[in-house]
Amino acid sequence: MKMRKLIPTILAMAMVISLFAAFPATAGASISTQPSSKSVTAGDFTTLTVEGSGLAAAIWYISKDNGATFNIIGAADSTYIDISSVSTATLKLYNVPMEYSGHQFRAMVIFTMGTSTFSNIATLTVKEPEKRSCPTGGSAEFDCTAEAERVVADNKAIKYTITGYQWQMLQGSGMSWSWNNIADGAYYAGTKTAKLTVKDAPKTLDGRMYRCLFSATIDVGYGAVATNGPSSRFMLNVTDAKALKITTDTKDATTVEGRDPNFSIKVDGEDLVYQWYVSTDGGSVWQKVDTNSFHYRSQNTNLANYLYIRNTPLSFNGYMYKCEVTSDGDTVTSKASKLTVTAADGPPVLNTGGSPAPASTTIPAGANASFWANFSINPICPVSYEWYVSTNNGVSWDKVTANSVYSDVDAAILKLENVPISYNGNMYRCIAANSKGELASPSAKLTVVESTGATMVTKQPVDCIAAVGGTATFTMETSGGPEVSWTWTVSPTDSEIVDVQFGIGDREGKSIIEHAMFDGKAIVTGTNGNTLTISNVPKELDGWLFFCRIFGFDASGEEAMFFSSAAKLTVIDDGEAPTITGPASLTLKEGYGDTYSDAFTLKGAPEPKMTIVSGDPKITFYEDAMKLRIAEGLEPGTYVVKLEASNGLAPDAEHTFTLTVTTDSSGSMSNFSKARAYVRGQFPDVDETQWYGYDDQKTIALAYEYDLMKGNADGTFNPGGNVTVGQALAVACRVHVIYSGGTTLVEGSTWYQVYVDYAIENGMIKATDFSDYGRPATRAEMVYIFASAVPAEELPAVNTVNSLPDVDNGTPYSKQIFMMYEAGGLTGNDDAGTFTPNANISRAQAAAIIARVILPAERRSGKTYG
């Protein structure tokens, strides 16, 4: 029936219904099955059904206001509802949109007896599909591995096994939609695997829905039965491609022989790939920077936005550097920048990069302070430090001598403890000297204030950037006085000042003028606190100034009113809150020299700025290289540094970096001890009579007892399951940390990243070894990773290896494989020692290697291979 004919029919039936609506259903006519609420994913198909005895017809109603009103479904909803089903027992909905979430449905049921009644109300909940985004011409990946593994894990009792994959795309229009298989080709790869890659994505694929159809076998004890079922659905979001833009280009650099200069570039774009080039002939010929060279130490030299040069030789004088940045086929290249290197046997040089040092500071009386002399490190002519103080605003200077307040007076960082008020106004500077000369640092002023009495602003509000519809926050802090209250004010223009409020009076009870901007547009909270928050920021607030009117006390204890400084709000059309990625930990040996961490990467729009929130003063942030500088002299122990990045858009990004300083004697096999007990039969899927079981080699039990491997969430161990590269690294790093006496590593949002960083920093692997940490590890890769978990001297040879059937010098990681056979950590698959290096390693096999690495008594000795 065509819609133009159907709608009058529905309306006519509605008029008939109204004649019978007052009559209740009779005993022989009733609803037996009520429509039930449904939860679907956007784009799904679904139905609502009502059943009953004596049912003659049903008319479906919809409520879009949480049940306040119900109306017969009509032409306005024909885009997503099959109108031909509105007057049937089953209502059909197709390609359901997100805006239908929360809509309610019920049916007017008409019985053959002429009576009618309403069904129960059914609520439709619509969930967003999981999305993947890429720019036009870019690529995106859909991965259903975790879902497939979960299906198998949830059905262990019936031996549910995935046997195949087929990716599908939803196609159609109107009421004719279907899932159609897709094949590898122009836009797709991996269509028959757990991971689908969409490549060279055209704009026409924007909004397309995908799912994976699993093929599987189920064995419930009567033989295997084939079956299949779909995964969750995914949506592809193809955005307009953005051209790359260099926001900060490279600059020429001047350094001294033996020091560590750097070049950096900042580019506006996404998924950036960096490649640095060097020219040794003034720019005629360019070569890729050799990341294996000693002088280009950074683990990510060619992948990061900086190039860090280590212990620069004089021969590098005149070298040129540039960086090529690519993203999805777009490329930009920095200008060529020159490196000037001067001889190292010269006077001290002040490092002008990063934050000014020393920096002026204000503290309350009785607090501690420190000043840092930021001189470049000179390995050939080391400098000595002398700190000087001026009590007459820089007219004359006296050498600082150690006392109850001053310490480290001849070090790079001068420390002051329990500073008295009499030190207020003192100025400090440092003179660095060597055999070639001396140099004075800039001076810094110390302001010491009374900790009680007069009210003072200790933290002024700062300018803020917010996106339209986003959140802006202004914060200020005060100290002193028994009571302080705040009232935030705003100045839209130079002449207009109004109090930001939401119906709250000030301390004196006077009415505060309400500005129209905060009536139905921006939402304001904290107007009478020290933090003002503005939500749903409108574009009209761009350029407004916010400051706080403070009611406090003057030095004599009398009430006084004063204002904080003004902070400007900038409202942008679009933005991105900041993120921080980078190293999570670093381990150094006692007696180390000045050291830099690996670089951090900041993302956000506008460009964020990173600062150290808390940590030891010997650990400072070197902004030019985006690294932490660890000054020499930290005692053995653990030092936690809290980093924060802000660009005015909430929320600020936070990152924790843990430095561990160990003693030379901390590494020992005696550091390994049992952390928990293993009970025979603890894991239901572990056959304790097998070679890895409790009755034989106990490898799983030992790995569990020493807290190096755990079971699964469902209480199983899965001895035959694969070990991923990330999991292998995690266990190897735990072994390395325990052996060296370090601190337990803390996992972040990408759980394996802390182990990757630790393994690279401690020379266990190279940054270029692996690109996919989620794939299964091979047996050869597992041995490579574990060969450096403890020092080589802890793995002495106890066997003779002349040859192995399937391993020779050309086999990847053959050196580590032969070493592990000689040490008794490996025995092979047969008496000849067959290794099968390219096979995936199982969890049981990994447990055996782990046990033999940490426990010499478990190693197999006295054997000869080949």
Coordinates of all heavy atoms in Angstrom, one line a residue, residues 392-461:
N392 N 71.8 44.5 48.8 CA 71.6 45.9 48.4 C 71.2 46.1 47.0 O 71.7 47.0 46.3 CB 72.8 46.8 48.8 CG 74.1 46.2 48.1 OD1 74.0 45.4 47.2 ND2 75.2 46.7 48.6
N393 N 70.4 45.2 46.5 CA 69.8 45.3 45.2 C 70.8 45.2 44.1 O 70.7 45.9 43.0 CB 68.9 46.5 45.1 CG 67.9 46.4 44.0 OD1 67.4 45.3 43.7 ND2 67.5 47.5 43.3
G394 N 71.9 44.4 44.3 CA 72.9 44.2 43.2 C 74.0 45.2 43.2 O 74.9 45.1 42.3
V395 N 74.1 46.1 44.2 CA 75.2 47.0 44.2 C 76.5 46.3 44.5 O 77.6 46.6 43.9 CB 75.0 48.2 45.2 CG1 76.2 49.1 45.3 CG2 73.7 48.9 44.8
S396 N 76.5 45.4 45.5 CA 77.7 44.6 45.8 C 77.3 43.2 46.1 O 76.1 42.9 46.4 CB 78.4 45.2 47.1 OG 77.5 45.2 48.2
W397 N 78.3 42.3 45.9 CA 78.0 40.9 46.0 C 79.0 40.2 47.0 O 80.2 40.5 47.0 CB 78.1 40.2 44.7 CG 77.0 40.6 43.7 CD1 77.1 41.7 42.9 CD2 75.8 40.1 43.5 NE1 76.0 41.9 42.2 CE2 75.1 40.8 42.5 CE3 75.1 38.9 44.0 CZ2 73.9 40.5 42.0 CZ3 73.9 38.6 43.5 CH2 73.2 39.4 42.5
D398 N 78.5 39.3 47.8 CA 79.3 38.5 48.8 C 79.1 37.0 48.5 O 78.0 36.6 48.2 CB 78.9 38.8 50.2 CG 79.1 40.3 50.6 OD1 80.2 40.8 50.3 OD2 78.1 40.9 51.1
K399 N 80.2 36.3 48.7 CA 80.1 34.8 48.5 C 79.2 34.2 49.6 O 79.3 34.5 50.7 CB 81.5 34.2 48.6 CG 81.6 32.7 48.3 CD 83.0 32.2 48.3 CE 83.0 30.7 47.9 NZ 84.4 30.2 48.0
V400 N 78.4 33.3 49.1 CA 77.5 32.6 50.0 C 78.3 31.5 50.8 O 79.0 30.7 50.1 CB 76.3 32.0 49.3 CG1 75.4 31.1 50.2 CG2 75.5 33.0 48.6
T401 N 78.1 31.5 52.1 CA 78.8 30.4 52.9 C 77.7 29.5 53.5 O 76.6 30.0 53.8 CB 79.7 31.0 53.9 OG1 78.9 31.9 54.8 CG2 80.8 31.8 53.3
A402 N 78.0 28.3 53.7 CA 77.1 27.3 54.2 C 76.7 27.7 55.7 O 77.6 28.0 56.5 CB 77.6 25.9 54.1
N403 N 75.4 27.6 56.0 CA 75.0 27.8 57.4 C 73.7 27.1 57.5 O 73.3 26.2 56.7 CB 74.8 29.3 57.7 CG 73.9 30.0 56.7 OD1 73.0 29.4 56.1 ND2 74.0 31.3 56.6
S404 N 72.9 27.4 58.5 CA 71.6 26.7 58.8 C 70.6 26.9 57.7 O 69.6 26.2 57.5 CB 71.0 27.1 60.1 OG 70.8 28.5 60.1
V405 N 70.8 28.0 56.9 CA 69.8 28.3 55.8 C 70.4 27.8 54.5 O 69.7 27.1 53.7 CB 69.5 29.8 55.7 CG1 68.7 30.1 54.5 CG2 68.9 30.3 57.0
Y406 N 71.7 28.0 54.2 CA 72.3 27.7 52.9 C 73.0 26.3 52.9 O 73.7 26.0 53.9 CB 73.4 28.8 52.5 CG 72.8 30.2 52.3 CD1 73.3 31.2 53.0 CD2 71.9 30.4 51.3 CE1 72.9 32.5 52.8 CE2 71.4 31.7 51.1 CZ 71.9 32.8 51.9 OH 71.4 34.0 51.7
S407 N 72.8 25.6 51.8 CA 73.5 24.4 51.6 C 73.8 24.3 50.1 O 73.2 24.9 49.3 CB 72.8 23.2 52.1 OG 71.5 23.0 51.4
D408 N 74.7 23.4 49.7 CA 75.2 23.2 48.3 C 75.6 24.5 47.7 O 75.2 24.9 46.5 CB 74.0 22.6 47.5 CG 73.7 21.1 47.8 OD1 74.6 20.5 48.5 OD2 72.7 20.6 47.5
V409 N 76.4 25.3 48.4 CA 76.8 26.6 48.0 C 77.8 26.5 46.8 O 78.1 27.5 46.2 CB 77.4 27.4 49.1 CG1 76.4 27.7 50.2 CG2 78.6 26.7 49.7
D410 N 78.4 25.3 46.6 CA 79.4 25.2 45.5 C 78.9 24.2 44.5 O 79.7 23.5 43.8 CB 80.7 24.7 46.0 CG 80.7 23.5 46.9 OD1 79.5 23.0 47.1 OD2 81.7 23.0 47.3
A411 N 77.6 24.1 44.4 CA 76.9 23.1 43.4 C 76.1 23.9 42.4 O 75.9 25.1 42.6 CB 76.1 22.1 44.1
A412 N 75.6 23.2 41.4 CA 74.8 23.9 40.4 C 73.4 24.4 41.0 O 72.8 25.3 40.4 CB 74.5 23.0 39.2
I413 N 72.9 23.8 42.0 CA 71.7 24.2 42.7 C 71.9 24.6 44.1 O 72.4 23.8 44.9 CB 70.7 23.1 42.6 CG1 70.4 22.6 41.2 CG2 69.4 23.5 43.4 CD1 69.4 21.4 41.1
L414 N 71.7 25.9 44.4 CA 71.8 26.4 45.7 C 70.5 26.2 46.5 O 69.4 26.5 46.0 CB 72.1 27.9 45.7 CG 72.1 28.7 47.0 CD1 73.3 28.2 47.9 CD2 72.1 30.2 46.8
K415 N 70.6 25.6 47.7 CA 69.4 25.3 48.5 C 69.3 26.2 49.7 O 70.3 26.5 50.3 CB 69.4 23.9 48.9 CG 69.3 22.8 47.8 CD 69.3 21.4 48.3 CE 69.2 20.4 47.2 NZ 69.3 19.0 47.7
L416 N 68.1 26.7 50.0 CA 67.8 27.5 51.2 C 66.6 26.8 51.9 O 65.6 26.4 51.3 CB 67.3 28.9 50.8 CG 68.4 29.8 50.1 CD1 68.4 29.5 48.6 CD2 68.0 31.3 50.4
E417 N 66.8 26.6 53.3 CA 65.8 26.0 54.1 C 65.4 26.9 55.2 O 66.2 27.6 55.8 CB 66.4 24.6 54.6 CG 66.7 23.6 53.6 CD 67.3 22.3 54.2 OE1 67.3 22.2 55.4 OE2 67.6 21.4 53.4
N418 N 64.1 26.8 55.5 CA 63.5 27.6 56.6 C 63.9 29.0 56.6 O 64.5 29.6 57.5 CB 63.9 26.9 58.0 CG 63.1 27.4 59.1 OD1 62.0 27.9 59.0 ND2 63.7 27.4 60.3
V419 N 63.6 29.7 55.4 CA 64.1 31.0 55.1 C 63.4 32.0 56.0 O 62.2 32.1 56.1 CB 63.9 31.3 53.7 CG1 64.4 32.7 53.3 CG2 64.5 30.3 52.8
P420 N 64.2 32.9 56.7 CA 63.6 33.9 57.6 C 63.2 35.1 56.8 O 63.6 35.3 55.6 CB 64.8 34.3 58.5 CG 66.0 34.0 57.8 CD 65.7 32.8 56.9
I421 N 62.3 35.9 57.4 CA 61.8 37.1 56.7 C 62.9 38.1 56.4 O 62.8 38.9 55.4 CB 60.7 37.8 57.6 CG1 59.9 38.8 56.7 CG2 61.3 38.4 58.8 CD1 59.1 38.3 55.6
S422 N 64.0 38.1 57.1 CA 65.1 39.0 56.9 C 65.8 38.8 55.6 O 66.5 39.7 55.1 CB 66.1 38.9 58.0 OG 66.6 37.5 58.1
Y423 N 65.5 37.7 54.9 CA 66.1 37.4 53.6 C 65.3 38.0 52.5 O 65.7 37.9 51.3 CB 66.3 35.9 53.4 CG 67.5 35.3 54.0 CD1 67.8 35.5 55.4 CD2 68.3 34.4 53.4 CE1 68.9 35.0 56.0 CE2 69.4 33.8 54.0 CZ 69.7 34.1 55.3 OH 70.7 33.5 55.9
N424 N 64.2 38.7 52.8 CA 63.4 39.3 51.8 C 64.2 40.3 51.0 O 64.9 41.2 51.5 CB 62.2 40.0 52.4 CG 61.3 40.7 51.4 OD1 61.0 40.1 50.3 ND2 60.9 41.9 51.7
G425 N 64.2 40.2 49.6 CA 64.9 41.2 48.8 C 66.3 40.8 48.4 O 66.9 41.4 47.5
N426 N 66.8 39.7 49.0 CA 68.1 39.2 48.6 C 68.1 38.8 47.1 O 67.1 38.3 46.6 CB 68.5 38.0 49.4 CG 69.0 38.3 50.8 OD1 68.9 39.5 51.2 ND2 69.4 37.3 51.6
M427 N 69.3 39.1 46.5 CA 69.5 38.7 45.1 C 70.6 37.6 45.0 O 71.6 37.7 45.8 CB 69.8 39.9 44.2 CG 68.7 40.9 44.2 SD 69.1 42.3 43.2 CE 69.1 41.5 41.5
Y428 N 70.5 36.7 44.1 CA 71.5 35.6 44.0 C 71.9 35.4 42.6 O 71.2 35.6 41.6 CB 70.9 34.3 44.5 CG 70.5 34.3 46.0 CD1 69.2 34.8 46.4 CD2 71.4 34.0 47.0 CE1 68.9 34.9 47.7 CE2 71.0 34.0 48.3 CZ 69.8 34.5 48.7 OH 69.4 34.5 50.0
R429 N 73.2 35.1 42.4 CA 73.7 34.7 41.1 C 74.9 33.7 41.3 O 75.4 33.6 42.4 CB 74.2 35.9 40.3 CG 75.5 36.6 40.9 CD 75.9 37.8 40.0 NE 77.1 38.4 40.5 CZ 77.7 39.5 40.0 NH1 77.0 40.1 39.0 NH2 78.8 40.0 40.4
C430 N 75.2 33.0 40.3 CA 76.3 32.0 40.3 C 77.4 32.4 39.3 O 77.1 32.8 38.2 CB 75.7 30.6 40.0 SG 76.9 29.3 40.2
I431 N 78.6 32.1 39.7 CA 79.8 32.3 38.8 C 80.4 30.9 38.6 O 80.8 30.2 39.5 CB 80.8 33.3 39.4 CG1 80.3 34.7 39.5 CG2 82.1 33.3 38.6 CD1 81.2 35.7 40.1
A432 N 80.4 30.5 37.3 CA 81.0 29.3 36.9 C 82.4 29.6 36.4 O 82.6 30.5 35.6 CB 80.2 28.6 35.9
A433 N 83.4 28.8 36.7 CA 84.8 29.0 36.3 C 85.4 27.7 35.9 O 85.1 26.6 36.4 CB 85.5 29.7 37.4
N434 N 86.4 27.8 34.9 CA 87.3 26.7 34.6 C 88.6 27.3 34.3 O 88.9 28.5 34.4 CB 86.7 25.8 33.5 CG 86.5 26.6 32.2 OD1 87.0 27.7 32.0 ND2 85.7 26.0 31.3
S435 N 89.5 26.5 33.7 CA 90.9 26.9 33.4 C 90.9 28.0 32.3 O 91.9 28.7 32.2 CB 91.7 25.7 33.1 OG 91.2 25.1 31.9
K436 N 89.8 28.2 31.6 CA 89.8 29.1 30.5 C 89.1 30.4 30.8 O 89.1 31.3 30.0 CB 89.1 28.4 29.2 CG 89.8 27.2 28.8 CD 91.3 27.4 28.3 CE 91.9 26.2 27.8 NZ 93.3 26.4 27.3
G437 N 88.4 30.5 31.9 CA 87.7 31.7 32.2 C 86.6 31.5 33.2 O 86.4 30.4 33.7
E438 N 85.7 32.5 33.3 CA 84.6 32.4 34.2 C 83.4 33.2 33.6 O 83.6 34.0 32.7 CB 84.9 32.9 35.6 CG 85.2 34.4 35.7 CD 85.6 34.8 37.1 OE1 86.0 34.0 37.9 OE2 85.3 36.0 37.4
L439 N 82.2 32.9 34.1 CA 81.0 33.5 33.6 C 80.0 33.6 34.7 O 79.8 32.6 35.4 CB 80.4 32.8 32.4 CG 79.2 33.3 31.8 CD1 79.5 34.7 31.1 CD2 78.5 32.3 30.8
A440 N 79.3 34.7 34.8 CA 78.3 34.9 35.9 C 76.9 34.7 35.2 O 76.6 35.1 34.1 CB 78.4 36.3 36.4
S441 N 76.1 34.0 36.0 CA 74.7 33.8 35.6 C 73.9 35.1 35.8 O 74.3 36.0 36.4 CB 74.1 32.7 36.4 OG 73.8 33.1 37.7
P442 N 72.7 35.1 35.2 CA 71.8 36.2 35.5 C 71.4 36.2 37.0 O 71.6 35.2 37.7 CB 70.5 36.0 34.7 CG 71.0 35.1 33.6 CD 72.1 34.3 34.2
S443 N 71.0 37.3 37.6 CA 70.6 37.3 39.0 C 69.1 37.1 39.2 O 68.3 37.3 38.3 CB 70.9 38.7 39.6 OG 70.2 39.7 38.9
A444 N 68.8 36.5 40.3 CA 67.4 36.2 40.7 C 67.1 36.8 42.0 O 67.9 36.8 42.9 CB 67.1 34.7 40.7
K445 N 65.8 37.3 42.2 CA 65.4 37.9 43.5 C 64.6 37.0 44.3 O 63.7 36.3 43.8 CB 64.7 39.2 43.2 CG 64.3 40.0 44.4 CD 63.6 41.3 44.1 CE 63.3 42.2 45.3 NZ 62.7 43.5 44.9
L446 N 64.8 37.0 45.6 CA 64.1 36.2 46.6 C 63.1 37.2 47.3 O 63.6 38.1 47.9 CB 65.0 35.5 47.5 CG 64.3 34.7 48.7 CD1 63.4 33.6 48.1 CD2 65.3 34.2 49.7
T447 N 61.8 36.9 47.2 CA 60.9 37.7 48.0 C 60.3 36.8 49.1 O 59.8 35.7 48.8 CB 59.7 38.2 47.1 OG1 60.3 39.0 46.1 CG2 58.7 39.0 47.9
V448 N 60.4 37.2 50.3 CA 59.9 36.5 51.5 C 58.8 37.3 52.1 O 59.1 38.5 52.5 CB 61.1 36.2 52.5 CG1 60.6 35.3 53.6 CG2 62.3 35.6 51.8
V449 N 57.7 36.7 52.3 CA 56.5 37.4 52.9 C 56.1 36.8 54.2 O 56.4 35.6 54.4 CB 55.4 37.5 51.9 CG1 55.7 38.2 50.6 CG2 54.9 36.1 51.5
E450 N 55.4 37.5 55.0 CA 54.9 37.0 56.2 C 53.8 35.9 55.9 O 53.0 36.1 55.0 CB 54.2 38.0 57.1 CG 55.3 39.0 57.7 CD 56.1 38.4 58.8 OE1 55.8 37.2 59.2 OE2 56.9 39.1 59.3
S451 N 53.8 34.8 56.6 CA 52.8 33.7 56.2 C 51.5 34.0 56.8 O 50.5 33.4 56.4 CB 53.4 32.4 56.8 OG 53.6 32.5 58.2
T452 N 51.3 34.9 57.7 CA 50.0 35.3 58.2 C 49.9 36.8 58.3 O 50.9 37.5 58.1 CB 49.8 34.8 59.6 OG1 50.8 35.3 60.5 CG2 49.8 33.2 59.7
G453 N 48.7 37.3 58.5 CA 48.5 38.8 58.6 C 47.8 39.3 57.4 O 46.7 38.9 57.1
A454 N 48.5 40.1 56.6 CA 47.8 40.7 55.4 C 47.5 39.7 54.4 O 48.3 38.8 54.1 CB 48.8 41.8 54.8
T455 N 46.3 39.9 53.7 CA 45.9 39.0 52.7 C 46.7 39.3 51.4 O 46.9 40.5 51.1 CB 44.4 39.2 52.4 OG1 43.7 38.9 53.5 CG2 44.0 38.2 51.3
M456 N 47.2 38.3 50.7 CA 47.9 38.5 49.5 C 47.6 37.4 48.5 O 47.2 36.3 48.9 CB 49.5 38.6 49.7 CG 50.0 37.3 50.2 SD 51.8 37.4 50.5 CE 51.8 38.6 51.9
V457 N 47.7 37.8 47.2 CA 47.4 36.9 46.2 C 48.7 36.1 45.9 O 49.7 36.6 45.5 CB 47.0 37.6 44.9 CG1 46.8 36.5 43.8 CG2 45.7 38.4 45.1
T458 N 48.6 34.8 46.1 CA 49.8 33.9 45.9 C 49.8 33.2 44.5 O 50.8 32.7 44.1 CB 49.9 32.8 47.0 OG1 48.7 32.1 47.0 CG2 50.1 33.4 48.4
K459 N 48.6 33.2 43.9 CA 48.5 32.7 42.5 C 47.5 33.5 41.8 O 46.3 33.5 42.1 CB 48.1 31.2 42.6 CG 47.9 30.6 41.2 CD 47.5 29.1 41.2 CE 47.4 28.5 39.9 NZ 47.0 27.1 39.9
Q460 N 47.9 34.2 40.8 CA 47.0 35.1 40.0 C 46.3 34.3 38.9 O 46.9 33.3 38.4 CB 47.8 36.2 39.3 CG 48.5 37.2 40.3 CD 47.5 38.2 40.8 OE1 46.3 38.1 40.6 NE2 48.0 39.1 41.6
P461 N 45.1 34.6 38.5 CA 44.5 33.9 37.4 C 45.3 34.2 36.1 O 45.9 35.2 35.9 CB 43.1 34.6 37.3 CG 43.2 35.9 38.0 CD 44.3 35.7 39.1

